Amino acid sequence: MSFVVAIDGPSGSGKGTITKLVGEKLGLINIDTGATYRCVALATINKGYKLEEESKIVSLLNEIKIEFKKIEKEEKVFLNGKDVTKEIRSKEVNKIVSQVSHIPEIRKKMVDFQRKIAEGKNVIMEGRDIGTNVFPNANVKIYLDATPEERAKRRMKQNKENGIESNYEEILENIKFRDHNDKTSNVAPLKKAEDAIYVDTSNLTIEEVTKKIIEIINHQFGDASKIGKN
Ligand code: DC
């Protein structure tokens, strides 16, 4: 049996942390779809391609291999055999990833890849278009949100923990810029699926959000603790 929990929302809404925690608690495989677009953005930078050089960026699809691996209980992302977990969160990648993710050929290939890695598994998948496009029939759909200021604060903290230097104003600006790009995209605009449950995390702790999401899954599915055991 395959069970899919779709977690969508803007960057910094807490998706990454919450998806990981809920996944661990319920025995679901955690898939971070943003990481797939970040890998393509990193490959673009490594090749020295400019955003305008769309066909060159698209040609990268034949050269890149993305893998998710759990190493010593840590989820790692590999690009052509190299651990890029940290690198894909750099300022440089943040700057171009939204535009890269809106190139139709890139989206198509990444969505195919995301569906493939979830095939036949019980997953909790986080992204922007999981409930609307990747898995429109997901068993449970949740849309996580928070104010841009709160999200910028969280990103600062996350960067600090990962040893990445950052500036609040710069991060806030980048979040607003990406929100705008993501919500107005012709390709896959960020929006709540009609049947998704909206959760505003601005004034909630990580524990409170995790508890809420598990309650939602339990309410929609029955006893969520049994999912991973099927
Ligand atoms: O969640 P994130 O910040 O790691 O996502 C990075 C970028 O990828 C973000 O600008 C939106 C895009 N993205 C997307 O278009 N569709 C997804 N399913 C996930 C991410």
Side-chain angles (χ1 to χ4, degrees):
M1 182 185 124
S2 170
F3 186 86
V4 178
V5 178
I7 310 267
D8 289 304
S11 61
S13 55
K15 281 176 306 164
T17 311
I18 301 303
T19 302
K20 198 167 158 236
L21 288 171
V22 175
E24 276 167 10
K25 287 214 157 92
L26 301 183
L28 303 170
I29 295 167
N30 167 13
I31 301 171
D32 168 10
T33 61
T36 64
Y37 296 102
R38 286 176 178 274
C39 281
V40 182
L42 179 61
T44 302
I45 294 167
N46 289 346
K47 283 274 183 180
Y49 295 158
K50 299 204 174 62
L51 275 173
E52 305 78 70
E53 299 178 302
E54 249 187 61
S55 59
K56 285 190 182 171
I57 299 176
V58 170
S59 76
L60 281 173
L61 290 173
N62 302 318
E63 300 173 22
I64 60 175
K65 186 177 175 208
I66 302 168
E67 292 165 289
F68 290 98
K69 291 185 196 171
K70 204 166 194 170
I71 297 177
E72 287 163 14
K73 293 193 180 161
E74 295 275 338
E75 291 287 345
K76 301 274 182 198
V77 185
F78 285 77
L79 175 60
N80 292 343
K82 182 181 172 223
D83 181 354
V84 293
T85 315
K86 248 190 190 171
E87 234 178 308
I88 57 169
R89 310 254 152 225
S90 70
K91 241 197 301 195
E92 291 72 24
V93 169
N94 281 346
K95 256 187 206 149
I96 67 161
V97 65
S98 176
Q99 285 103 312
V100 169
S101 75
H102 289 139
I103 300 172
E105 290 92 334
I106 301 283
R107 266 214 102 70
K108 190 179 173 305
K109 189 81 184 257
M110 290 302 115
V111 169
D112 286 348
F113 174 65
Q114 292 155 16
R115 287 184 181 139
K116 196 153 180 271
I117 50 178
E119 227 166 50
K121 303 190 181 96
N122 297 320
V123 301
I124 182 160
M125 189 176 257
E126 58 138 321
R128 299 292 194 289
D129 60 341
I130 311 305
T132 51
N133 179 38
V134 183
F135 285 110
N137 297 322
N139 301 73
V140 180
K141 298 182 188 179
I142 289 159
Y143 188 91
L144 286 187
D145 209 354
T147 61
E149 290 74 17
E150 176 61 30
R151 290 189 275 134
K153 271 194 239 159
R154 292 177 186 171
R155 189 66 88 200
M156 286 282 290
K157 192 167 167 259
Q158 194 180 38
N159 282 351
K160 203 173 165 196
E161 282 163 7
N162 290 325
I164 299 168
E165 244 181 75
S166 49
N167 167 287
Y168 176 78
E169 293 305 328
E170 218 175 281
I171 289 188
L172 182 61
E173 201 180 307
N174 180 261
I175 282 181
K176 287 183 175 168
F177 172 73
R178 277 205 282 158
D179 275 3
H180 179 75
N181 258 321
D182 292 344
K183 286 180 179 165
T184 57
S185 155
N186 294 327
V187 185
L190 169 65
K191 66 169 197 282
K192 180 187 152 307
E194 264 176 34
D195 50 350
I197 294 171
Y198 184 89
V199 178
D200 184 347
T201 70
S202 301
N203 297 310
L204 298 177
T205 63
I206 290 169
E207 292 73 27
E208 285 167 334
V209 182
T210 306
K211 192 164 164 257
K212 206 178 176 106
I213 304 297
I214 291 177
E215 274 167 15
I216 293 171
I217 300 173
N218 275 333
H219 183 73
Q220 297 209 344
F221 181 74
D223 184 0
S225 65
K226 296 205 179 94
I227 300 166
K229 302 194 174 73
N230 283 327

